[in-house]
C-alpha cells in the first residue's frame, strides 16, 4: 500500500474524530448539569 494512501486514511480518521468530538460537546457541554459548580441535587430531587 502506498504511503500516501495510509497518510490520507489517517488524516480522514482524525477529521472524523474531531468532528464527532465537537458534535458531542455541542450536544452535551461539560458542566451542563451544574455539578461542576457544586450545585448538587438534593436526595428528594433524584428519586
Amino acid at each position: 500500500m502506498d504511503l500516501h494512501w495510509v497518510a490520507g486514511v489517517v488524516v480522514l480518521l482524525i477529521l472524523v474524530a474531531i468532528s464527532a468530538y465537537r458534535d458531542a460537546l455541542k450536544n452535551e457541554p461539560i458542566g451542563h448539569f451544574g455539578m461542576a459548580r457544586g450545585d448538587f441535587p438534593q436526595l428528594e430531587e433524584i428519586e
Side-chain angles (χ1 to χ4, degrees), residues 6-27:
V6 174
V9 170
V10 168
V11 169
L12 182 65
L13 289 175
I14 290 172
L15 290 176
V16 168
I18 290 172
S19 176
Y21 178 73
R22 289 183 64 193
D23 190 41
L25 283 181
K26 183 174 59 174
N27 289 337

Side-chain angles (χ1 to χ4, degrees), residues 3 5-6 10 19 24 29 33 41-43 46-47:
L3 217 51
W5 285 101
V6 174
V10 168
S19 176
F33 293 107
Q42 299 297 325
L43 289 177
I46 296 175
E47 296 174 355

Side-chain angles (χ1 to χ4, degrees), residues 30-45:
I30 298 173
H32 174 74
F33 293 107
M35 288 188 201
R37 296 187 308 266
D39 300 331
F40 295 103
Q42 299 297 325
L43 289 177
E44 298 85 31
E45 296 174 7

